[in-house]
Amino acid sequence: MGLEDDNFGFKVVDLHKPDPLGMVAPVMLNAKQIMQELWRMKMQWDEPLRRPILQRRHSWKSSLELLTIISVPRFYFLKTRYEGSMLELHHPCDASEVGYGAVSYLRVVYPNGKMECSFILGKSRKTPLKTLSIPRLELLSAVLAARMNTAIRKELEMEVDRVVFWTDSMITLNYIRNETRRFQTYVANRITEIRDKTMLES
């Protein structure tokens, strides 16, 4: 990108460089899925890839060219002054049988009513080899969102007025809201972490 744009962009040259902001997390999730399938098949490092896996790898590699059209502003605001504005953090999270993830945005509401929304961070995780139910994966996505909020609040050098966590999983919401039922240790530990990391945001 040119200096006049001051955006983050991608050139698909080196696939080994990290993506600390997680901007291409959804794309990399497909690669993780392929690797997990190889582990499940117990493929040896020098064993040729079987045709179905090879086709999926070629398809994934071809899709990387689409990354070149992604452009993310490096700064959170277009304006240099935001006094009197409301700053909000929004953390949507979700899960499927393939994986789970969360993304964080900063929403700025200016005194004149204008709003801007900026990407901050994204993370995705591949579904564990040990099969988990969708409700448990959705709970893990909520844990991930809570952890991301904690990390961002430590690094963000701005006072945030409001934090919102988003999930379409009623089971996850019921887990978090229920303070009377005794849950299994796996679920209980994650509910406790979510509450501890978000109680100050309610």
Side-chain angles (χ1 to χ4, degrees):
M1 297 295 172
L3 292 177
E4 66 277 6
D5 295 322
D6 206 4
N7 295 338
F8 285 115
F10 296 93
K11 289 183 178 179
V12 184
V13 177
D14 188 348
L15 300 182
H16 302 288
K17 289 184 178 180
D19 173 29
L21 298 181
M23 287 184 281
V24 296
V27 178
M28 297 309 297
L29 188 61
N30 289 330
K32 294 176 183 178
Q33 186 181 17
I34 294 173
M35 288 299 300
Q36 189 180 78
E37 185 63 25
L38 294 175
W39 294 331
R40 186 178 286 112
M41 296 166 61
K42 298 181 179 180
M43 296 280 291
Q44 300 300 314
W45 69 270
D46 58 348
E47 185 178 350
L49 293 178
R50 299 173 187 175
R51 186 174 181 82
I53 293 292
L54 194 60
Q55 289 176 336
R56 288 170 58 188
R57 180 185 179 277
H58 286 328
S59 177
W60 171 77
K61 190 173 181 181
S62 297
S63 71
L64 294 179
E65 296 179 5
L66 298 175
L67 291 176
T68 59
I69 68 176
I70 295 177
S71 176
V72 180
R74 194 164 64 90
F75 291 102
Y76 296 141
F77 322 112
L78 295 179
K79 298 183 178 180
T80 56
R81 295 177 60 85
Y82 57 91
E83 288 83 356
S85 301
M86 175 176 284
L87 304 184
E88 302 175 348
L89 282 174
H90 290 258
H91 307 284
C93 61
D94 205 355
S96 71
E97 65 278 358
V98 175
Y100 62 94
V103 63
S104 300
Y105 298 97
L106 181 66
R107 183 173 182 259
V108 184
V109 183
Y110 293 103
N112 62 4
K114 180 181 178 181
M115 293 178 288
E116 293 176 352
C117 192
S118 303
F119 171 91
I120 297 182
L121 181 66
K123 288 185 179 295
S124 67
R125 297 286 185 269
K126 183 70 192 71
T127 301
L129 285 173
K130 181 180 179 181
T131 304
L132 295 178
S133 65
I134 294 297
R136 286 199 172 188
L137 291 171
E138 290 174 329
L139 182 62
L140 288 178
S141 74
V143 172
L144 184 59
R147 291 174 179 173
M148 288 166 58
N149 177 69
T150 299
I152 291 170
R153 295 295 296 272
K154 288 181 179 179
E155 299 296 331
L156 200 63
E157 297 179 353
M158 291 173 285
E159 188 66 31
V160 176
D161 300 294
R162 184 170 177 250
V163 178
V164 184
F165 297 89
W166 298 89
T167 178
D168 60 0
S169 171
M170 292 305 300
I171 294 178
T172 296
L173 292 175
N174 289 333
Y175 278 155
I176 298 170
R177 292 169 178 166
N178 194 323
E179 298 183 359
T180 58
R181 179 181 170 185
R182 293 179 61 87
F183 294 100
Q184 294 180 348
T185 302
Y186 181 95
V187 173
N189 288 345
R190 283 149 184 83
I191 293 174
T192 298
E193 182 176 357
I194 292 172
R195 289 174 179 167
D196 289 345
K197 285 182 164 59
T198 63
M199 61 183 300
L200 296 179
E201 314 298 353
S202 60

